[in-house]
Structures are given as structure tokens and as C-alpha cells.
Amino acid sequence: MRMLDLMRAIEQQPYAAAIAHSQWLFPMFEIAHVLALTLVVGSVAMIDLRLLGIGNRERSVTELMGSVLPWTWGAFAVAATFGLLLFSSKAATYYVNLPFRIKMICMGLAALNMLIFHGLLERDVATWDRGIPPLRVRIAGGISLALWIVIVAAGRWIGFTT
Ligand code: HEM
């Protein structure tokens, strides 16, 4: 089955068709998506700015991540759930949409950057937990912040191109 046929099959699912044909379901889900993503991006930005040595310097990196990341993951689960519901309503349209593809690619890159940070860079966190982190960590924070800004811009751009 071609991907586009699969996307059309998703659109024809009763719940997806209900979202597409309802006057208020799509806007309600988009509101929920936007509220959740603001918490995702806001909390990620707090950590990235700390990794860049900007703001929250009185708190250690691990202490800040410990109190912020549970909110990030919780909000991400909500944003992704409503994002998938929105996606299902016009799956074939979004699948070929350039801003949507840019957004998904950047989310993949942000995930890769996060894995490199937690898997490799965080190993010697005890040596830089307080104060300004070393260059490699600041680069990871900068890449993350830049990617999330592109994700938000691409997300907003979707609405102008569908
Ligand atoms: C947590 C990560 C995410 C962020 C930061 C994000 C960001 C955004 C932004 C800023 C918008 C524009 C909202 C508006 O102003 O109207 C948007 C819309 C949208 N997002 Fe996401 N998103 C995320 C996750 C997802 C996921 C996982 C999917 C599904 C695969 C998704 C699918 C959509 C769709 C379909 C729209 C609606 C576009 C339209 O208006 O037609 N998003 N997103």
C-alpha cells in the first residue's frame, strides 16, 4: 500500500472524519495542541538557556532538569496526542505538506540532539553542573533551542498552506 493510500485510509476512519466535518472539534483540538506545545517549548527553552549559561545560574543543571522535565514530557504527550488527532483529519494533505515535513524532520533532529545530550554529554555533568557548562554542552543547548523555534514556525506555517 502506498503511503498516500494509507493517509487516505486514516482520513476515512470515523473519528478522523468526525474531526474533519465538525465545526468545533478541530479548533478545540488545535487550542489544546497550542496550549500543550507552549508548555513543551517554554520548559525546553528554560533548560536550553541554562545549558547556554543564560538564566537560572543559581540552580544546578540537574536540579533544574529534575523539576522541569516531568512537565516537558507530560505536555509533550498531550501535544502529540492532539497533534495526531489534527493530523488524522487531513492526513493526505499534511503528509505532502512542506511545512509539516520540515516540522517533523526538526522534531526528529531535536530528539537525536536530546539523545546525544542525555547519552553522552551528561555523563560528566558532575564537573559542570554548577556555573557555565563547557562549549559542547552549550552547543547542544543552542541546537535544541534553534530546532524548537523552527518547529513552532513550521507548525504555524502549516495553517497558511493547507
Ligand atoms: C510538542 C511538539 C509540537 C510542537 C511544538 C508543535 C507546534 C505546532 C504549532 C506552533 C502549530 C500551529 C498552531 C496554530 O497556531 O494554529 C501546530 C499545528 C499543528 N500540529 Fe503541531 N506541534 C507539535 C507536535 C505535533 C505532532 C506530534 C503532530 C502530529 C503528527 C502535530 C501536528 C500538527 C497539525 C496537524 C497542526 C495543525 C495545522 C493546521 O492548522 O492545519 N504537531 N503545531
Side-chain angles (χ1 to χ4, degrees), residues 27-100:
M28 293 291 288
F29 288 172
E30 183 134 36
I31 291 168
H33 189 61
V34 169
L35 289 174
L37 71 91
T38 53
L39 190 50
V40 172
V41 179
S43 58
V44 166
M46 279 180 69
I47 294 173
D48 291 343
L49 289 169
R50 177 66 184 85
L51 295 180
L52 283 162
I54 304 167
N56 274 306
R57 294 238 301 265
E58 72 287 352
R59 299 177 76 185
S60 75
V61 171
T62 46
E63 185 204 335
L64 184 68
M65 288 200 297
S67 58
V68 169
L69 282 180
W71 291 96
T72 309
W73 285 113
F76 185 86
V78 175
T81 303
F82 285 105
L84 285 168
L85 287 169
L86 294 170
F87 176 82
S88 68
S89 70
K90 291 190 278 184
T93 307
Y94 291 126
Y95 176 68
V96 296
N97 177 264
L98 177 63
F100 182 80

Side-chain angles (χ1 to χ4, degrees), residues 143-159:
I143 290 173
S144 171
L145 201 56
L147 282 170
W148 282 101
I149 291 170
V150 175
I151 290 166
V152 170
R156 185 73 282 252
W157 187 17
I158 299 170

Side-chain angles (χ1 to χ4, degrees), residues 76 100-116 147-148 151:
F76 185 86
F100 182 80
R101 290 186 171 198
I102 292 171
K103 179 179 157 188
M104 290 298 127
I105 290 167
C106 288
M107 284 178 65
L109 292 173
L112 181 64
N113 186 52
M114 182 194 68
L115 289 175
I116 291 169
L147 282 170
W148 282 101
I151 290 166

